[in-house]
Amino acid sequence: MFTFRVLAQCPETGARAGEFETPHGVICTPVFMPVGTQATVKAMAPFELEAIKAQIILSNTYHLYLRPGADIVEEAGGLHRFMDWHHPILTDSGGFQVFSLATLNKVTDEGVICQSHLDGSRHVMNPEWSMDVQQKLGSDIAMCFDQCLHYPCTREEAEAALARTTRWAYRSKEAHHRVDQALFGIVQGSVYEDLRRQSAREITALDFPGYGIGGLSVGEPHHVMYQMLDVLKTEMPFNKPRYLMGVGHPSNLVEGVARGVDMFDCVLPTRNGRTGTVFVSTGKINIKNQIYARDFSPIDPHCDCYVCRHFTKAYLRHLYKAGEILAARLCSWHNLRFLIRLMEQMRESILNGNFPEFRQHFNEVFHGEGDENEN
């Protein structure tokens, strides 16, 4: 039911083009996954996601557990029917909320005692809880429960989180029984090379159908993230998909693909779209700036999205200044298509054998690596 094939690989870098078969369709990699935290990608309807050629989206286990509740989603026929998205879905484990809501959580070897950010109620999050919720949601890909750390962290903290992540991976696998759902393990180890190698070896020994790379894009410099990916490139199985979690800046996508990563996700394109920041071929601009008041050109003349084919910078700026909801929708639409198109271009270059040239041209034209923390 879950088959991954590498169709081509760049010998100079290790960049891969592949196919990952799931119950709801084949995912062509490398792929960017829009984030639909609450069973919706912010500002985008499912048919619009299809129009921009999104292949798979990500939803959030923790948030859907709290609202509307995993039982309700299960009664609705699962997440695909509930949100009317009939293509692949990946659900995270809830482990990232252990990191992002650290002030509300207490972490032990058993799991996490979590205080809801909605109403203050207390909940126990652990591998068994995560597997139960994700199986009720019915995603195509579920993630093991893990512990993600902040940056910087001490070696002792990284060692403890690594040990927990490995133990929790065993417990996640033991608690997971849904045969139409692939369970991915997650590699941790912070920015310590030997710990990254150790985590990769421990997690891949469990023979999951795919592997996430967690604990990056949490504030570390980009060159450090790339260093960790270089370390893992030779430690990860060739015949399994590799998923770099929480990364979505264009430069990071290109450099991640160059290091053998197949899957990415990030809230960046929709978050930026809501504030008027949009990607262009040379970097990014803020459409609300006065300079665009009489600019009757598209956001990016090289982009094939609906927004760039129909609207101008001047119109989009007007929408923002007028407080119109359409502004956030159109800029989110463009940003998502920009990233998805970038992945398509990289895949094509890998298949055609000219990825190094594509990467060089991109790095010459596109300026700016983005924020230090974009999760």
Side-chain angles (χ1 to χ4, degrees):
M1 192 175 296
F2 295 94
T3 305
F4 180 70
R5 296 189 302 146
V6 176
L7 303 179
Q9 183 175 33
C10 172
E12 295 92 339
T13 67
R16 298 131 57 94
E19 293 179 344
F20 186 46
E21 185 175 350
T22 78
H24 286 88
V26 175
I27 304 166
C28 295
T29 62
V31 64
F32 177 79
M33 301 180 285
V35 175
T37 300
Q38 310 268 13
T40 177
V41 176
K42 289 186 184 299
M44 299 290 290
F47 71 90
E48 294 169 330
L49 293 171
E50 291 178 334
I52 63 171
K53 301 182 181 179
Q55 300 182 71
I56 173 174
I57 63 173
L58 179 147
S59 287
N60 186 280
T61 294
Y62 164 82
H63 288 285
L64 294 176
Y65 160 77
L66 291 179
R67 182 178 54 194
D71 290 337
I72 290 178
V73 175
E74 185 179 38
E75 289 175 26
L79 199 51
H80 294 86
R81 286 189 181 180
F82 189 57
M83 63 186 296
D84 195 35
W85 174 257
H86 303 289
H87 307 282
I89 297 174
L90 182 149
T91 45
D92 63 7
S93 69
F96 185 74
Q97 277 62 52
V98 178
F99 162 80
S100 63
L101 301 174
T103 58
L104 301 176
N105 299 332
K106 179 181 178 181
V107 181
T108 69
D109 286 343
E110 171 58 29
V112 182
I113 300 173
C114 172
Q115 182 178 349
S116 168
H117 70 290
L118 296 177
D119 60 12
S121 58
R122 291 191 172 272
H123 305 266
V124 176
M125 300 166 58
N126 58 31
E128 292 75 23
W129 164 87
S130 180
M131 295 304 101
D132 178 63
V133 173
Q134 291 185 81
Q135 288 177 107
K136 287 178 178 177
L137 295 177
S139 56
D140 299 89
I141 301 171
M143 303 301 296
C144 285
F145 195 65
D146 68 318
Q147 184 178 6
C148 176
L149 289 182
H150 53 84
Y151 174 86
C153 69
T154 66
R155 182 179 179 87
E156 290 72 22
E157 290 172 323
E159 288 175 338
L162 187 160
R164 281 200 185 102
T165 294
T166 299
R167 289 195 296 270
W168 290 354
Y170 276 94
R171 288 169 57 184
S172 294
K173 188 171 185 178
E174 181 67 22
H176 186 266
H177 305 294
R178 186 161 181 161
V179 296
D180 62 345
Q181 183 181 65
L183 177 63
F184 281 21
I186 301 178
V187 174
Q188 291 288 349
S190 187
V191 296
Y192 300 95
E193 290 190 19
D194 60 327
L195 297 185
R196 281 285 171 182
R197 294 185 190 277
Q198 177 186 339
S199 181
R201 290 168 184 170
E202 291 178 356
I203 298 300
T204 58
L206 294 173
D207 194 28
F208 291 105
Y211 298 95
I213 302 170
L216 296 176
S217 190
V218 292
E220 80 283 356
H222 293 287
H223 76 272
V224 174
M225 176 172 69
Y226 300 154
Q227 181 182 354
M228 294 303 103
L229 295 179
D230 285 332
V231 167
L232 292 175
K233 188 161 59 172
T234 57
E235 298 288 347
M236 308 287 278
F238 177 81
N239 62 339
K240 303 289 182 70
R242 306 165 185 173
Y243 162 32
L244 180 55
M245 307 172 73
V247 171
H249 190 274
S251 295
N252 298 158
L253 296 179
V254 172
E255 292 306 309
V257 168
R259 289 162 171 83
V261 177
D262 307 297
M263 304 169 67
F264 304 81
D265 82 281
C266 194
V267 300
L268 181 67
T270 51
R271 186 182 66 188
N272 278 3
R274 295 193 300 277
T275 61
T277 299
V278 289
F279 295 121
V280 295
S281 299
T282 55
K284 60 183 179 181
I285 62 172
N286 193 302
I287 206 72
K288 294 185 289 187
N289 290 343
Q290 176 64 31
I291 191 174
Y292 303 117
R294 288 181 169 84
D295 189 331
F296 304 112
S297 65
I299 296 174
D300 187 340
H302 303 290
C303 180
D304 64 359
C305 80
Y306 170 81
V307 182
C308 288
R309 287 186 286 109
H310 291 273
F311 304 110
T312 67
K313 297 187 187 78
Y315 178 67
L316 293 168
R317 181 181 184 276
H318 157 70
L319 292 178
Y320 272 106
K321 292 300 182 179
E324 290 290 341
I325 295 173
L326 184 59
R329 283 180 36 76
L330 293 179
C331 287
S332 296
W333 183 308
H334 165 78
N335 281 346
L336 286 168
R337 177 57 192 159
F338 185 95
L339 296 189
I340 290 170
R341 182 168 171 265
L342 176 62
M343 307 309 284
E344 292 172 349
Q345 291 171 330
M346 284 194 281
R347 175 181 168 83
E348 182 180 4
S349 73
I350 297 167
L351 292 171
N352 291 338
N354 61 356
F355 176 77
E357 292 80 5
F358 176 90
R359 180 190 185 190
Q360 179 180 350
H361 176 74
F362 176 87
N363 289 329
E364 289 173 351
V365 173
F366 193 94
H367 302 290
E369 282 200 321
D371 303 328
E372 292 298 330
N373 180 6
E374 295 175 340
N375 252 304

